[in-house]
Amino acid sequence: MTNKPRIENSDRGITLSRGLAWTIFGFLFSLSVTGVGAGIKFGTQMSQFSTAIDVLQASGTKRDERQEEYGSRIRSLENGASRDGARFESVMRDMQEVKAGLDETNRLLRQLLTQRN
């Protein structure tokens, strides 16, 4: 190897030795390749995140739809239970009227039997 300087300042400007120039070129090239690789990796990850967000939003929408469906089913069941409760109350009133009628019939029969004796 010669003792020639690696960087020289002359009338033509700054000149670099070939070895130093190739070293700088290699370093800058590796930086650019690394930057491109990092950019591609970042873009891929952002795409994956975007896809994951879309999937989460779709599942949230489905959950909301199911929740609305369950809510309408529950309201339907509550309405049916309310109607059944009203029917039960009506049957109870009718049964009380029948019982009152039977009590009255028994009273009249007893009265009739006591009058004959």
Side-chain angles (χ1 to χ4, degrees):
M1 187 176 253
T2 62
N3 288 336
K4 197 172 175 185
R6 298 183 115 193
I7 300 175
E8 218 175 281
N9 192 2
S10 66
D11 295 339
R12 296 183 339 198
I14 297 175
T15 56
L16 303 175
S17 68
R18 278 190 186 164
L20 181 59
W22 279 109
T23 302
I24 292 171
F25 174 75
F27 176 72
L28 292 176
F29 181 75
S30 68
L31 281 179
S32 67
V33 168
T34 304
V36 169
I40 290 172
K41 183 171 176 111
F42 179 75
T44 303
Q45 286 179 345
M46 289 305 292
S47 174
Q48 290 171 348
F49 288 144
S50 176
T51 302
I53 288 171
D54 290 343
V55 168
L56 286 174
Q57 287 176 339
S59 68
T61 302
K62 287 179 184 177
R63 186 196 69 233
D64 292 343
E65 290 171 356
R66 275 187 268 134
Q67 197 170 15
E68 287 180 23
E69 180 182 332
Y70 293 153
S72 66
R73 287 180 180 179
I74 288 171
R75 281 188 296 280
S76 173
L77 290 172
E78 287 172 344
N79 291 338
S82 176
R83 283 191 304 270
D84 290 345
R87 287 181 192 143
F88 179 72
E89 290 295 324
S90 174
V91 167
M92 287 297 294
R93 278 193 307 272
D94 292 345
M95 292 296 290
Q96 287 172 348
E97 289 175 9
V98 167
K99 185 178 180 256
L102 287 173
D103 288 343
E104 180 67 20
T105 303
N106 284 339
R107 188 185 65 73
L108 290 173
L109 283 173
R110 281 189 191 113
Q111 190 179 30
L112 196 77
L113 283 174
T114 54
Q115 287 175 359
R116 282 193 173 181
N117 288 336

